[in-house]
Amino acid sequence: MVEIPTSTKQHDESRQGEALLLEQDPKKSDGRKLYIESYGCQMNFSDSEIVASILVDKGFETTRDYREADVVFINTCSIRENAEQRVRNRLKEFESAKAKNPGMVVGVLGCMAERLKSKFLEEEKLVDVVVGPDAYRDLPNLIEQVDEGARAVNVLLSREETYADISPVRLNSNGVTAFISIMRGCDNMCSFCVVPFTRGRERSRDPQSIVKEAQDLFMAGYREVTLLGQNVDSYKYAAPATDGGEPEPAINFARLLEMVAQVNPLLRVRFSTSHPKDITDEVLHTIARYENICKYIHLPVQSGNSRVLELMNRTYDREWYMERVDAIRRIIPECGISTDVITGFCSETEEEHRDTLAMMDYVKYDYAYMFAYSERPGTLAAKRYADDIPEEVKKRRLTEVVDKQREHSLGRLQTYVGKVHKVLIEGLSKRSDQDYCGRNDQNSMVVFPADTRYKVGDYVNVYTDRCTSATLIGRIVD
Ligand code: SF4
């Protein structure tokens, strides 16, 4: 699951329905307008940039206003029931626009499209085209089919597709931070998760194309990249042997991190999501060795109890997870750690719930994404286990987890007060245009008075003298 905590919380429903826009080159456009709205995780937002690139190449231009669009796409999420319900509600809002512009093409992309396939056309009469995460190259052809009066579907999953040759069009970008997807799909089969069914088998992208994308971004003024994957720790790329020679040694995630970090010391590198069973000491030592690889890891735990972890098919137990956290604390003492927690999983007892709270006390996460278990059709859990924890118990346990995390988040932020942090200026603070904002190495948001000597994209040293529950506050020190 790609959960990358940035200032805009990912993969939870709080970041949804963002209309994406790019600076358009009028010469290339044949005037058809494209509107894309994305939900869910960063992988989906990154995919929308691939979709925009494919269609801009065909002469489309993007618009922020779906009412003036010729093609309206929703890039959907299927991770929880309410994520899907939100898409259905949104489709209803497009009905009036389509009534005014009957030639408008309405399409659904992403995980919900892949999960429902052609059933989406039966269930949602407004939808003309349904496209899965591995079929975006076919979009121009599918739109043509709809223009000719058909309704179109392509939900073929691929074992090769990584879109490595397509340079994403940066949408809604602050011009400083960007995402680079390094792999697609997931070979883990966590029993509660739809991703392996909606995004297919794991495949890693050619590292040269990833390094090239990082170099291009750096040349274009970006100063931070986040490497994206459902489970970045299982990244592995073996270049095919040439002229009958021996195949090159495979590139693993530690080596890829190093290659991207060597693009330029001024290019910060972040990544997500890690998997406790695969994160190696080699990766941790690589992070420690490069100043520009950020000291922050998103390490989903999901539960603090070994029996529940086994039911979740997470392939590690409580002790293994704690040993990985100990390794992070030993090798990168200043590292920020965040996580994902699911409460009320099938047959979870009160005592097992308390194991999760105890795990949170053990790690003291900087922040966490916390959800009550939502049974997903087609998953192992839905097939094997009864969703037997009453909603009110799930919710009460979630409240306890959220309260615990609120306490820890503040505690962690307070450990960053009274220190100097290297901060990358990302823009003006949402609260005041007199203030700059940016994140420290540990991915915590820092707000400080703007200073005309510095601009967005510069690194500054900020001394923090206080914090709120979510933000560090300070001033620039030279
Ligand atoms: S199957 Fe597991 S590792 Fe893969 S995306 Fe889902 S939760 Fe993450």
Side-chain angles (χ1 to χ4, degrees):
M1 204 181 295
V2 173
E3 309 265 9
I4 301 176
T6 63
S7 47
T8 52
K9 298 214 166 335
Q10 267 93 18
H11 210 84
D12 61 20
E13 286 75 21
S14 66
R15 178 167 186 196
Q16 70 264 328
E18 207 169 290
L20 303 177
L21 186 73
L22 86 105
E23 300 318 313
Q24 192 63 45
D25 163 356
K27 282 195 297 313
K28 247 177 144 181
S29 121
D30 70 352
R32 289 188 84 183
K33 290 199 179 334
L34 166 70
Y35 173 87
I36 308 181
E37 192 166 292
S38 294
Y39 291 75
C41 68
Q42 273 316 330
M43 195 56 109
N44 248 12
F45 283 75
S46 167
D47 280 357
S48 293
E49 299 184 334
I50 298 274
V51 167
S53 181
I54 290 168
L55 293 176
V56 164
D57 259 11
K58 295 291 178 201
F60 279 79
E61 61 181 79
T62 58
T63 173
R64 249 183 215 285
D65 182 354
Y66 69 82
R67 281 169 286 265
E68 63 168 33
D70 302 290
V71 173
V72 170
F73 284 154
I74 302 191
N75 197 348
T76 65
C77 172
S78 186
I79 209 75
R80 270 170 290 284
E81 185 48 35
N82 44 25
E84 293 200 351
Q85 195 46 53
R86 196 158 277 115
V87 169
R88 293 184 192 278
N89 300 345
R90 189 66 176 134
L91 282 170
K92 293 204 173 26
E93 291 165 37
F94 292 153
E95 274 170 12
S96 56
K98 177 135 180 178
K100 290 197 192 88
N101 172 9
M104 175 191 280
V105 175
V106 175
V108 285
L109 316 178
C111 292
M112 187 181 172
E114 186 65 44
R115 190 180 78 73
L116 290 173
K117 302 181 176 24
S118 52
K119 224 165 115 241
F120 218 136
L121 295 180
E122 294 149 28
E123 294 177 3
E124 300 289 343
K125 296 291 174 250
L126 188 79
V127 173
D128 304 301
V129 58
V130 177
V131 190
D134 286 348
Y136 295 148
R137 287 180 198 272
D138 196 23
L139 278 168
N141 161 46
L142 295 167
I143 292 171
E144 246 169 61
Q145 287 178 34
V146 176
D147 290 345
E148 287 146 16
R151 298 172 85 197
V153 177
N154 186 339
V155 286
L156 287 177
L157 286 174
S158 159
R159 284 181 175 272
E160 282 83 39
E161 183 62 86
T162 63
Y163 302 115
D165 59 322
I166 295 179
S167 48
V169 172
R170 305 295 159 184
L171 298 167
N172 265 18
S173 169
N174 58 10
V176 174
T177 62
F179 292 94
I180 300 181
S181 106
I182 63 169
M183 58 198 299
R184 299 182 72 82
C186 187
D187 285 354
N188 298 315
M189 289 300 282
C190 302
S191 62
F192 53 80
C193 185
V194 289
V195 172
F197 306 98
T198 60
R199 285 187 167 273
R201 294 282 69 70
E202 218 164 69
R203 62 228 100 123
S204 296
R205 187 179 153 192
D206 176 342
Q208 299 313 330
S209 72
I210 296 168
V211 170
K212 168 103 179 32
E213 191 172 331
Q215 285 162 341
D216 293 350
L217 284 164
F218 186 78
M219 298 309 289
Y222 288 80
R223 288 294 173 268
E224 179 184 289
V225 292
T226 299
L227 307 181
L228 290 181
Q230 312 289 354
N231 169 9
V232 292
D233 293 302
S234 60
Y235 175 91
K236 193 169 186 201
Y237 185 86
T242 50
D243 339 324
E246 283 302 301
E248 300 272 319
I251 303 272
N252 66 9
F253 185 56
R255 181 72 192 106
L256 177 71
L257 257 184
E258 185 162 44
M259 290 165 73
V260 178
Q262 289 169 342
V263 166
N264 191 295
L266 290 177
L267 184 69
R268 254 185 178 179
V269 183
R270 298 185 188 275
F271 58 87
S272 200
T273 292
S274 300
H275 196 292
K277 80 168 167 41
D278 295 322
I279 191 166
T280 61
D281 286 7
E282 188 193 0
V283 164
L284 301 180
H285 286 296
T286 304
I287 298 169
R289 216 170 32 251
Y290 286 85
E291 188 271 343
N292 62 328
I293 301 180
C294 292
K295 307 304 177 269
Y296 159 73
I297 294 173
H298 184 62
L299 194 68
V301 67
Q302 306 297 6
S303 167
N305 173 269
S306 294
R307 185 190 75 89
V308 174
L309 286 169
E310 190 167 350
L311 289 180
M312 287 178 165
N313 194 28
R314 289 289 287 168
T315 64
Y316 57 84
D317 60 15
R318 179 182 173 80
E319 287 67 35
W320 174 281
Y321 187 90
M322 293 163 88
E323 187 281 329
R324 290 290 81 203
V325 170
D326 295 346
I328 294 172
R329 298 274 188 238
R330 186 175 65 250
I331 299 168
I332 322 167
E334 74 278 29
C335 195
I337 305 178
S338 62
T339 196
D340 303 341
V341 174
I342 293 175
T343 65
F345 188 69
C346 314
S347 74
E348 180 192 62
T349 65
E350 216 39 59
E351 196 191 336
E352 291 164 342
H353 164 59
R354 281 196 291 280
D355 283 346
T356 298
L357 295 170
M359 175 67 85
M360 295 174 78
D361 284 332
Y362 182 80
V363 182
K364 293 202 174 38
Y365 295 105
D366 286 57
Y367 35 65
Y369 295 85
M370 302 153 279
F371 305 98
Y373 173 58
S374 165
E375 184 182 84
R376 306 307 296 131
T379 57
L380 290 180
K383 290 182 189 140
R384 290 188 189 157
Y385 314 125
D387 181 8
D388 55 3
I389 307 298
E391 275 310 308
E392 67 278 7
V393 175
K394 283 184 186 176
K395 293 254 164 357
R396 190 259 304 156
R397 289 179 185 171
L398 181 59
T399 306
E400 289 172 8
V401 162
V402 169
D403 292 349
K404 168 93 53 202
Q405 186 51 48
R406 196 172 286 122
E407 203 188 295
H408 290 162
S409 292
L410 180 58
R412 288 291 296 169
L413 274 183
Q414 284 165 340
T415 65
Y416 299 142
V417 170
K419 296 190 175 126
V420 174
H421 299 264
K422 182 179 177 183
V423 173
L424 173 60
I425 303 176
E426 290 178 36
L428 292 174
S429 151
K430 283 203 185 81
R431 291 238 168 83
S432 148
D433 57 14
Q434 304 305 306
D435 292 338
Y436 275 148
C437 70
R439 282 163 296 132
N440 66 1
D441 223 15
Q442 289 76 17
N443 212 36
S444 301
M445 188 52 78
V446 187
V447 169
F448 47 97
D451 180 324
T452 50
R453 293 173 298 157
Y454 303 103
K455 62 187 184 320
V456 172
D458 287 346
Y459 290 99
V460 286
N461 291 322
V462 177
Y463 175 78
T464 53
D465 48 22
R466 62 193 189 285
C467 68
T468 67
S469 61
T471 308
L472 290 164
I473 299 163
R475 63 183 192 285
I476 294 176
V477 289
D478 296 321

